[in-house]
Amino acid sequence: MSSIPVTVLGPQGSGKTVYLASLFRRLAIQRDDVGFFVQLPPHESTKLNQIYSQIVSPDGWPDPNLLSHTSEWKFTCSIRTEQGEVYSPFTLDYLDFAGDHLTSATATATEFGAAVWRRVEESEFLLVMLDGLKVMRCLDGDERLIEELIPVLSAVGASRAVTHFLVTKWDLLEAEGHTVRAVLDRLLENPDFHDFYVNRTRRTDGGALRFIPVSSLGRGFATLGPDGRTMVKQGRFPLPMNVEVPLMAVLVDLFTRELDRARELETTVEEGPQQTELWPWLFRVAAQKLPVLRSVLTANVTNSPALSAVQETLADAFTSFVTERNRRYERKAAEDSRQLRARLLRARSRQEAMNAMITLFDSVLADFEAAHPGSLVLPEVS
């Protein structure tokens, strides 16, 4: 099965590998509050389980990645139905490379380093990790977080990729009463970040931009030590927060991006209402033009590794996505996330599983955005 490539960016110590290990442990088992699970090749599964064991052990934390430890992880998203059948509609290929690639002047001079950066430049999806501790210091006036992010912002700015900024250690920020909007507002006070943000939101070819609060280990697992820089484990069981949200958002943002591109070919913004009503109008138009949009979407497959990865189930899943989103905007009776998880468990084919997954993911993200205003920056204002 081909896979959707996703590249994880972040300075050293931003929590990339801890996040991936926590994501795997959270989704290694099919849970009622999620509805699906992920599978990895055996050697990858073993490695992430070992990393996770280091994370939750009483002694210390895993060592930061070295340049040689850059690695890829293939997360196959699957469901086990009530009949015991397993369907795997799509796979995400996460490239997690060492933070030194962002800061070392010699890293890109190597053949391997150059290949890593080509992957960044060609990526359709970027996850940018923002270390929660550094975000907290930034909220107190420390600008070093932005300085570390300059190479990342440069890469994102040059890319057309859908981009998710993941604010880690959200349990600490939440406990201090901070919100996603407050974090973004503080970042925007920095002229470098402000200029990046303005240019990114001005573009129409970049797809979604999100700020997603996550906690890889959850409330109370670790607290800030007396030095204000290190995390001290408290002996509690880890309860991750929102770690699966970026995975869900990848598929939704893929379809939303393609709908936006198809809209540019089939309609113009001038034909529709003002900006605040643009997306409800677009989904109404899309629902009326599904045969045309399906053909446009299929034609785009050759130019997109992400679309190619879901080509077999693409058109029907896209139809399901547009229909359900239009229903939501028109305030018709729509199934809630619990009902959609139940529907997922009743799937009788890979296609049904894909359709149920995309509608479930879209519903979960709508609830998430309502709980965290400001987390979705684009496409709502694009």
Side-chain angles (χ1 to χ4, degrees):
M1 182 190 301
S2 56
S3 55
I4 299 174
V6 178
T7 305
V8 186
L9 299 174
Q12 183 174 339
S14 56
K16 300 185 301 298
T17 304
V18 172
Y19 167 74
L20 289 173
S22 178
L23 174 68
F24 173 60
R25 181 56 69 94
R26 167 77 169 145
L27 298 179
I29 299 170
Q30 184 160 301
R31 305 176 191 273
D32 288 344
D33 62 339
V34 177
F36 68 100
F37 67 102
V38 297
Q39 302 177 83
L40 272 73
H43 66 285
E44 294 182 12
S45 174
T46 299
K47 185 175 181 180
L48 279 183
N49 274 323
Q50 290 174 341
I51 293 171
Y52 189 83
S53 295
Q54 286 182 293
I55 293 168
V56 300
S57 72
D59 305 318
W61 300 90
D63 293 332
N65 279 356
L66 301 175
L67 288 175
S68 60
H69 289 169
T70 297
S71 53
E72 292 190 70
W73 312 91
K74 289 189 179 296
F75 290 86
T76 298
C77 296
S78 308
I79 63 160
R80 181 172 287 104
T81 70
E82 294 172 344
Q83 295 78 33
E85 297 290 339
V86 174
Y87 299 114
S88 302
F90 69 100
T91 295
L92 295 179
D93 184 4
Y94 279 94
L95 174 67
D96 167 27
F97 67 93
D100 286 354
H101 278 298
L102 298 171
T103 56
S104 171
T106 60
T108 55
T110 67
E111 182 178 348
F112 181 73
V116 168
W117 274 104
R118 280 197 301 273
R119 163 70 180 261
V120 173
E121 293 168 355
E122 296 169 358
S123 287
E124 294 180 77
F125 296 93
L126 297 174
L127 297 188
V128 179
M129 309 295 286
L130 303 182
D131 177 48
L133 286 181
K134 294 177 182 178
V135 170
M136 289 182 69
R137 293 198 288 270
C138 183
L139 289 165
D140 291 332
D142 189 333
E143 299 292 332
R144 282 177 289 182
L145 171 67
I146 309 296
E147 291 302 314
E148 286 187 350
L149 280 176
I150 291 298
V152 178
L153 299 182
S154 177
V156 173
S159 167
R160 300 176 61 187
V162 169
T163 303
H164 301 157
F165 285 87
L166 274 58
V167 185
T168 67
K169 302 183 180 71
W170 189 252
D171 52 306
L172 301 182
L173 289 151
E174 179 188 64
E176 295 291 327
H178 297 301
T179 64
V180 175
R181 187 70 240 184
V183 170
L184 179 56
D185 288 344
R186 172 63 186 93
L187 293 174
L188 288 171
E189 292 176 10
N190 181 282
D192 289 325
F193 190 89
H194 177 271
D195 290 344
F196 155 78
Y197 180 86
V198 168
N199 281 280
R200 178 64 176 80
T201 55
R202 181 182 294 145
R203 293 172 56 180
T204 60
D205 64 341
L209 178 64
R210 296 178 182 269
F211 284 76
I212 303 176
V214 300
S215 174
S216 296
L217 301 168
R219 301 179 183 95
F221 179 86
T223 58
L224 194 57
D227 61 1
R229 294 182 176 276
T230 56
M231 299 297 295
V232 179
K233 298 176 183 180
Q234 300 299 304
R236 296 189 181 182
F237 192 81
L239 295 171
M241 299 165 52
N242 303 332
V243 293
E244 67 272 18
V245 170
L247 184 152
M248 293 179 169
V250 164
L251 202 59
V252 171
D253 290 342
L254 171 65
F255 280 18
T256 304
R257 183 196 69 185
E258 293 308 313
L259 176 63
D260 199 22
R261 289 178 178 176
R263 180 265 300 175
E264 291 177 2
L265 294 175
E266 297 301 321
T267 64
T268 62
V269 174
E270 287 74 21
E271 294 172 348
Q274 296 300 311
Q275 196 74 23
T276 54
E277 297 295 325
L278 177 59
W279 275 95
W281 172 77
L282 282 177
F283 276 101
R284 286 196 296 272
V285 172
Q288 297 165 5
K289 295 190 174 184
L290 275 173
V292 175
L293 293 178
R294 283 169 62 118
S295 64
V296 172
L297 185 68
T298 303
N300 287 345
V301 165
T302 56
N303 299 318
S304 168
L307 290 178
S308 178
V310 294
Q311 183 174 5
E312 292 179 19
T313 56
L314 180 66
D316 283 348
F318 183 69
T319 299
S320 179
F321 169 69
V322 170
T323 301
E324 291 297 322
R325 181 69 73 92
N326 187 53
R327 180 182 300 173
R328 183 199 307 165
Y329 280 132
E330 292 186 345
R331 294 180 172 83
K332 293 181 179 179
E335 295 174 293
D336 61 23
S337 297
R338 183 175 58 181
Q339 292 172 313
L340 291 171
R341 291 187 184 95
R343 192 210 299 180
L344 188 59
L345 297 179
R346 295 193 297 270
R348 294 186 177 274
S349 68
R350 187 163 172 258
Q351 182 67 66
E352 285 188 13
M354 182 66 162
N355 294 355
M357 270 192 175
I358 187 62
T359 53
L360 170 62
F361 292 176
D362 197 32
S363 175
V364 170
L365 283 169
D367 294 340
F368 179 81
E369 290 155 17
H372 298 280
S375 61
L376 177 61
V377 178
L378 294 171
E380 298 296 346
V381 298
S382 63

